[in-house]
Amino acid sequence: MNKKILIVDDDPRNIFALKLTLKARGYQIESSTMALEAINLLKNDKDISVVLMDMMMPEMDGYEAIKIIRNTAEISDVCIIAVTAQAMPEDRQKCLDVGAQDYVSKPINVDILLTAIEKFS
């Protein structure tokens, strides 16, 4: 397996919890608390196969970050799973419309998350 996942979340506690869970299942983890930094990480690390993108972040939200990723040729095909506390049906659609492949609401159900990761990677 040994897939590399990039966790993008402005809350270090969320990153910490996800990192523990995913590392225990054999994934390699990179993380970033800022969207712009995450985009640069993607450009510099071709091994990242999945991005878990928090949609609500201060300087640049996940919607804007996904648009930039999708419009940047060298990283446009990476799998992006939107992660958000916004759990209304229209929020899910909004995430998919900007280019996320899937959507997982917080608090994260690990089984649902793992299924999403496996489906797209």
Side-chain angles (χ1 to χ4, degrees), residues 97-112:
D97 288 346
V98 294
Q101 271 94 346
D102 209 339
Y103 168 98
V104 178
S105 61
K106 292 178 182 177
I108 293 174
N109 175 317
V110 173
D111 293 331
I112 292 172

Side-chain angles (χ1 to χ4, degrees), residues 25-53:
R25 286 167 171 80
Y27 292 101
Q28 291 180 43
I29 305 298
E30 291 291 329
S31 64
S32 172
T33 55
M34 293 177 8
L36 211 50
E37 179 187 54
I39 291 165
N40 288 326
L41 266 170
L42 277 174
K43 288 178 183 174
N44 294 316
D45 189 341
K46 301 297 177 214
D47 293 334
I48 296 170
S49 58
V50 177
V51 178
L52 302 180
M53 180 71 71

